[in-house]
């Protein structure tokens, strides 16, 4: 982890290792210079100040009590140097002793007017945006609030909320577009000054957007040529893209997408594929598989963590699969710009395996390619014999259906009925196939057989519940849901107590809430963002908090993010006006294990006696459930 690397560097420096200090300077010099430059507005003076800052860092490093707090400590030092420089600059411009009194008074008054005008302009801007915010969906409103009112950069919002930069940019783009569509409202609120707001978000300039794609395409092609040169010499692909610099690619700026204003610093979700999705979720949108040497915007598919799988995929699909990917271009038509192994550029969805037509060029070409792949004999080394390629069958059925070839789709399904049902993975594949063509009656027949074959398997019960629900068999769906989730047995029984420490360091237990209707809200910041969940729960809380209702939040963000999540969680609580107590860190994980929480969000509603009303409350029916529970309390 990045911060752990800093800690080791600091320990090395304190032990007399000057090389480690050089590494630390190299790691943060660009960031500090950018910060100083932004604050003082002078590029060259910022370079001098940056040098002074790191001299001070070297001198004061032994006084840093907690090396984990190095970044915040570095920011404080940098900010102080900027303040000192601005103060000195103000006095060196013109000594007050040499300035006539009348001129001083005039200058002070002018400065006062300027400050007042600037303050009024800021307030007008804030007022404008607040009125516009009321017209946006909750997910877009949160991002725009942080971007305009919180004056946070896109990357800062991304880290704060645990959502990718591309997602933040998309929501900013959609908010701008939505407001453009409400032209009458914009003109009414802004009085003709809407252009700045509506074009200032990322992706707001279509011409610039297309130009960025053109420049990015050239970057990818240049990187592809450098990879080919590297291959000829080494008879292998580079481990990282940075291996190409400087010998094969002298200009390191080629590694930065023009739409990436974060300089490739892990602000994007690189290398997204079927294997990485779970890791992305676990890391709340931050990946460790970025280039370790220099800033690189692009996702390299042959990085060490992915090389084995990508090599296997290449063997099966051919050189059309992505080698280098860019996901910095906000566009509703595609998620990624790809450079293939064959040096072709194409646009695709995030998970290219799910839309093979993107890389093959059309639905027809994708269908022919997948038919050829699946027709290979098992002794062909290109035969997709791994379970990871089972998804090819649902894709083939989808393409047949998409192209109107129902007969071939039906024939394939009939063939697969006997071939695929060998294990749970086969049942999963059949489920995906039949779901594609909405043949739920057939699915029911297969999974009834599966229930006999796997009488204790929760996965089968869960699928049967889904099938019955789609067929409208509500009661049977409920029966199988209960079988798939033993926690149903807790309904009507006392919820086991806990005693932990909350986010603010205070003891908290379920027993102390006796006499109140309590909602245990298991959640994650990344999962909650982009939904209306927080606002809906808050409305219920505000409505019933004085009638004997309370909430305990249990934030289950993953351990790798804990170091940075305290601030993120506190900021999220502040921005969303959350007033109820939160359990976090190891305490939250102890509750996750105690109550066997499988996923989030999960809402447990508990009555005044500590008995479970339901573990499946949803924001859609929460108010009704709480109203009924509180009413019972008042009746008693």
């Amino acid at each position: 982890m990045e911060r752990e690397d800093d800690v080791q560097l600091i320990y090395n420096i304190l032990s007399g290792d000057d090389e480690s200090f050089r590494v630390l300077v190299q790691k943060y010099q660009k960031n500090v210079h950018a910060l100083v430059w932004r604050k003082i507005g002078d590029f060259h003076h910022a370079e001098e100040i940056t040098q002074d800052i790191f001299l001070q860092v070297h001198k004061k490093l032994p006084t840093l009590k907690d090396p984990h707090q190095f970044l915040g400590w570095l920011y404080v030092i940098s900010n102080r140097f900027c303040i000192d420089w601005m103060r000195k600059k103000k006095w060196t411009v013109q000594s007050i002793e040499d300035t006539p009194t009348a001129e001083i008074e005039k200058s002070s008054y002018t400065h006062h007017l300027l400050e007042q005008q600037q303050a009024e302009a800021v307030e007008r801007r804030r007022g404008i945006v607040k009125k516009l915010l009321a017209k946006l969906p909750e997910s877009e409103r949160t991002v725009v609030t942080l971007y305009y009112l919180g004056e946070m950069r896109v990357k800062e919002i991304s880290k704060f909320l645990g959502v990718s930069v591309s997602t933040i940019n998309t929501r900013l783009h959609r908010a701008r577009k939505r407001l453009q569509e409400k032209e009458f409202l914009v003109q009414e609120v802004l009085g003709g000054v809407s252009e700045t707001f509506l074009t200032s978000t990322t992706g707001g300039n279509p011409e610039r957007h297309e130009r960025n794609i053109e420049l990015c395409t050239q970057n990818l092609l240049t990187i592809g040529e450098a990879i080919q040169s590297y291959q000829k010499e080494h008879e292998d692909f580079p481990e990282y893209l940075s291996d190409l610099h400087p010998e094969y690619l002298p200009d390191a700026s080629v590694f930065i997408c023009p739409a990436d204003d974060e300089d490739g610093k892990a602000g994007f979700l690189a290398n997204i594929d079927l294997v990485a999705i779970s890791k992305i979720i676990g890391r709340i949108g931050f990946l460790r598989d970025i280039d370790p040497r220099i800033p690189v915007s692009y996702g390299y598919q042959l990085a060490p963590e992915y090389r084995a799988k990508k090599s296997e995929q290449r063997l099966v699909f051919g050189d059309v699969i992505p080698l280098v990917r860019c996901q910095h271009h906000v566009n509703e038509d595609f998620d990624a710009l790809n450079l293939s192994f064959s040096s072709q550029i194409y646009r695709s969805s995030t998970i290219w395996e799910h839309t093979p037509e993107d890389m093959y060029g059309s639905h027809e070409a994708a269908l022919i390619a997948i038919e050829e792949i699946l027709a290979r004999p098992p002794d062909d080394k290109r035969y997709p014999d791994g379970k990871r390629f089972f998804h090819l069958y649902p894709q083939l059925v989808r393409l047949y259906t998409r192209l109107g070839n129902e007969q071939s789709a039906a024939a394939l399904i009939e063939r697969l009925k006997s071939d695929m049902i060998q294990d749970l993975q086969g049942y999963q594949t059949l489920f995906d196939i039949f779901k594609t063509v909405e043949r739920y009656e057939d699915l029911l027949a297969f999974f009834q057989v599966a229930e006999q074959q796997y009488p204790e398997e929760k996965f089968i019960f869960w699928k049967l519940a889904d099938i019955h629900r789609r067929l409208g068999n509500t009661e049977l769906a409920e029966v199988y849901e209960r079988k798939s989730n033993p926690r149903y047995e807790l309904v009507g029984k006392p919820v086991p107590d806990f005693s932990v420490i909350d986010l603010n360091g205070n003891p908290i237990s379920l027993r102390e809430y006796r006499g109140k209707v309590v909602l245990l809200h298991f959640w994650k910041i990344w999962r909650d963002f982009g939904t209306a969940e927080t606002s809906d729960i808050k409305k219920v809380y505000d409505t019933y908090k004085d009638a004997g209702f309370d909430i305990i939040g249990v934030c289950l963000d993953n351990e790798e993010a804990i170091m940075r999540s305290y601030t993120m969680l506190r900021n999220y609580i502040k921005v969303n006006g959350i007033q109820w107590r939160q359990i976090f860190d190891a305490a939250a994980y102890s509750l996750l294990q105690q109550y066997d929480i499988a996923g989030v969000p999960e809402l447990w509603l508990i009555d005044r006696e500590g008995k479970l009303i339901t573990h499946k409350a949803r924001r859609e029916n929460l108010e009704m459930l709480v109203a009924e529970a509180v009413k019972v309390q008042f009746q008693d």
Side-chain angles (χ1 to χ4, degrees):
M1 289 177 284
E2 182 175 311
R3 194 166 298 186
E4 290 296 341
D5 294 341
D6 291 347
V7 170
Q8 187 59 55
L9 286 172
I10 291 169
Y11 285 146
N12 293 345
I13 295 166
L14 295 176
S15 300
D17 185 356
D18 291 335
E19 177 62 21
S20 291
F21 183 70
R22 186 192 67 77
V23 173
L24 193 69
V25 172
Q26 187 177 26
K27 186 174 182 180
Y28 291 113
Q29 188 172 21
K30 185 175 180 181
N31 303 73
V32 171
H33 178 262
L35 170 69
V36 176
W37 182 19
R38 187 166 68 246
K39 285 182 175 292
I40 71 171
D42 188 303
F43 183 90
H44 297 293
H45 279 104
E47 289 181 325
E48 297 173 4
I49 294 172
T50 300
Q51 293 178 14
D52 292 340
I53 287 170
F54 280 103
L55 288 175
Q56 182 77 343
V57 166
H58 192 275
K59 180 180 178 181
K60 296 290 186 180
L61 199 57
T63 68
L64 177 60
K65 295 180 180 180
D66 183 0
H68 288 90
Q69 302 299 321
F70 172 73
L71 281 181
W73 183 72
L74 176 61
Y75 175 82
V76 170
I77 291 177
S78 304
N79 193 48
R80 286 175 181 169
F81 267 82
C82 293
I83 293 172
D84 290 343
W85 187 89
M86 294 296 289
R87 186 181 295 119
K88 291 176 183 177
K89 179 185 178 183
K90 183 169 66 176
W91 285 102
T92 54
V93 170
Q94 183 178 44
S95 175
I96 196 165
E97 287 82 8
D98 300 329
T99 308
T101 302
E103 187 173 336
I104 293 174
E105 292 175 351
K106 179 180 179 181
S107 176
S108 298
Y109 181 68
T110 302
H111 181 69
H112 167 72
L113 284 179
L114 180 60
E115 286 186 339
Q116 188 177 31
Q117 291 170 356
Q118 290 175 338
E120 290 174 352
V122 169
E123 286 305 311
R124 283 198 304 272
R125 179 169 172 259
R126 288 176 180 268
I128 288 167
V129 177
K130 283 180 179 178
K131 291 181 180 179
L132 292 173
L133 286 177
K135 304 297 179 180
L136 295 175
E138 180 72 18
S139 61
E140 294 169 13
R141 188 186 311 152
T142 301
V143 178
V144 174
T145 298
L146 295 175
Y147 188 83
Y148 287 99
L149 303 186
E151 298 181 352
M152 294 173 67
R153 298 174 64 211
V154 169
K155 184 179 179 181
E156 293 171 336
I157 299 173
S158 170
K159 288 185 175 181
F160 173 36
L161 296 175
V163 179
S164 71
V165 164
S166 61
T167 299
I168 301 298
N169 282 336
T170 297
R171 286 177 177 148
L172 284 172
H173 172 68
R174 287 176 179 170
R176 177 193 59 80
K177 185 177 180 181
R178 198 182 305 276
L179 292 173
Q180 284 179 325
E181 291 171 353
K182 298 180 182 295
E183 185 177 357
F184 69 95
L185 169 69
V186 174
Q187 291 181 354
E188 175 188 346
V189 175
L190 300 183
V193 294
S194 62
E195 189 64 25
T196 301
F197 174 73
L198 292 178
T199 59
S200 61
T201 59
T202 304
N205 188 327
E207 293 182 0
R208 181 177 180 181
H209 174 68
E210 290 302 321
R211 178 59 177 162
N212 283 341
I213 292 176
E214 291 177 9
L215 294 173
C216 181
T217 298
Q218 292 303 314
N219 282 356
L220 290 173
L221 291 172
T222 302
I223 290 172
E225 292 173 358
I227 291 175
Q228 290 178 357
S229 299
Y230 183 99
Q231 276 185 288
K232 288 180 181 178
E233 183 170 340
H234 297 273
E235 297 183 350
D236 194 8
F237 287 90
E239 185 176 29
Y240 295 100
L241 290 181
S242 59
D243 293 344
L244 302 173
H245 178 71
E247 183 176 355
Y248 304 95
L249 193 54
D251 184 5
S253 67
V254 173
F255 292 122
I256 305 299
C257 169
D260 177 17
D261 61 357
E262 311 301 333
D263 295 333
K265 295 291 188 179
F268 66 106
L269 299 180
N271 300 322
I272 298 181
D273 57 29
L274 294 174
V275 169
I277 287 295
S278 61
K279 296 179 181 179
I280 294 167
I281 293 175
R283 295 173 189 169
I284 325 179
F286 302 111
L287 300 179
R288 288 187 292 181
D289 49 72
I290 59 171
D291 201 296
R293 301 183 180 94
I294 60 176
V296 176
S297 297
Y298 302 109
Y300 181 49
Q301 301 296 279
L302 287 182
E305 186 174 350
Y306 301 104
R307 181 160 296 221
K309 181 191 174 185
K310 295 302 173 183
S311 298
E312 184 180 12
Q313 287 181 326
R314 183 188 179 197
L315 196 63
V316 171
F317 290 101
D319 285 349
V320 296
I321 73 168
L323 173 60
V324 184
R325 312 190 79 196
C326 179
Q327 298 180 62
H328 291 283
H329 306 284
V330 180
N331 191 292
E332 295 180 358
D333 298 327
F334 74 98
D335 299 313
L337 194 64
N338 305 281
L339 170 74
S340 70
F341 279 82
S342 57
S343 299
Q344 300 300 310
I345 301 292
Y346 61 86
R347 303 175 181 188
S348 77
S349 62
T350 299
I351 305 177
W352 56 265
E353 297 99 317
H354 288 182
T355 53
E357 58 269 23
D358 290 336
M359 60 183 178
Y360 288 113
S362 68
H363 291 89
E364 291 81 1
L367 177 62
I368 293 171
I370 293 178
E371 284 182 327
E372 188 276 325
I373 290 171
L374 293 173
R376 294 168 185 166
D379 59 350
D380 189 328
K381 65 180 182 180
R382 301 171 302 149
Y383 179 73
D385 56 353
K387 290 184 178 180
R388 287 196 297 267
F389 294 98
F390 277 6
H391 69 275
L392 284 173
Y393 293 100
Q395 290 300 325
L396 191 55
V397 172
R398 180 182 65 85
L399 289 168
Y400 279 137
T401 305
R402 175 73 167 74
L403 295 172
N405 193 343
E406 302 290 349
Q407 185 175 358
S408 294
L412 177 61
I413 290 172
E414 290 302 316
R415 179 169 66 84
L416 292 176
K417 283 181 181 180
S418 57
D419 294 345
M420 298 298 292
I421 302 179
Q422 298 175 0
D423 53 21
L424 292 175
Q425 178 65 60
Y427 278 111
Q428 176 64 64
T429 302
L430 277 176
F431 184 89
D432 292 340
I433 290 172
F434 281 95
K435 184 178 177 180
T436 299
V437 292
E438 298 184 350
R439 289 175 56 176
Y440 296 111
E441 292 286 355
D442 289 336
L443 266 180
L444 179 59
F446 284 116
F447 275 83
Q448 284 173 338
V449 173
E451 183 180 9
Q452 301 299 318
Q453 188 177 354
Y454 299 97
E456 303 296 329
E457 180 56 54
K458 295 178 183 177
F459 163 78
I460 299 297
F461 297 148
W462 179 50
K463 290 298 184 183
L464 280 166
D466 189 6
I467 294 167
H468 279 298
R469 190 179 301 105
R470 293 175 185 276
L471 290 172
N473 305 329
T474 307
E475 292 183 3
L476 282 171
E478 182 74 14
V479 169
Y480 281 103
E481 277 191 0
R482 288 180 176 276
K483 286 186 176 183
S484 69
N485 190 342
R487 282 170 293 171
Y488 275 100
E489 300 304 318
L490 294 175
V491 174
K493 298 178 182 178
V495 176
D497 193 18
F498 60 79
S499 181
V500 295
I501 303 299
D502 71 8
L503 180 65
N504 294 322
N506 300 315
I508 183 173
S509 68
L510 193 56
R511 178 171 293 275
E512 69 184 84
Y513 284 78
R514 287 289 172 82
K516 287 186 175 183
V517 174
V518 179
L519 181 71
L520 269 182
H521 180 208
F522 298 92
W523 68 294
K524 286 187 177 184
I525 295 175
W526 71 266
R527 170 58 180 79
D528 185 74
F529 174 71
T531 72
E533 184 171 311
T534 291
S535 66
D536 287 346
I537 293 176
K538 186 174 181 296
K539 288 176 184 176
V540 176
Y541 176 81
D542 291 339
T543 302
Y544 296 98
K545 65 181 179 180
D546 296 327
F549 173 66
D550 211 336
I551 301 175
I552 302 174
V554 184
C555 185
L556 296 169
D557 283 307
N558 108 320
E559 293 179 8
E560 289 187 9
I562 282 175
M563 292 186 302
R564 55 181 172 263
S565 286
Y566 280 105
T567 300
M568 181 170 63
L569 177 56
R570 291 183 186 278
N571 288 342
Y572 190 88
I573 289 170
K574 182 178 180 180
V575 168
N576 288 278
I578 297 174
Q579 300 176 40
W580 52 91
R581 298 170 72 181
Q582 296 289 332
I583 298 172
F584 183 62
D585 201 347
Y589 277 87
S590 69
L591 268 62
L592 177 144
Q593 295 173 356
Q594 180 178 354
Y595 297 128
D596 191 27
I597 304 301
V600 292
E602 193 156 311
L603 286 77
W604 290 34
L605 191 62
I606 303 168
D607 70 14
R608 60 174 178 154
E609 296 178 350
K611 295 179 181 179
L612 183 64
I613 297 173
T614 177
H615 67 282
K616 291 181 65 64
R618 294 288 181 266
R619 61 183 179 84
E620 294 85 359
N621 66 356
L622 182 60
E623 183 169 8
M624 178 187 69
L625 291 169
V626 171
E628 184 62 29
V630 169
K631 179 181 178 182
V632 170
Q633 177 178 344
F634 282 164
Q635 287 176 342
D636 291 346

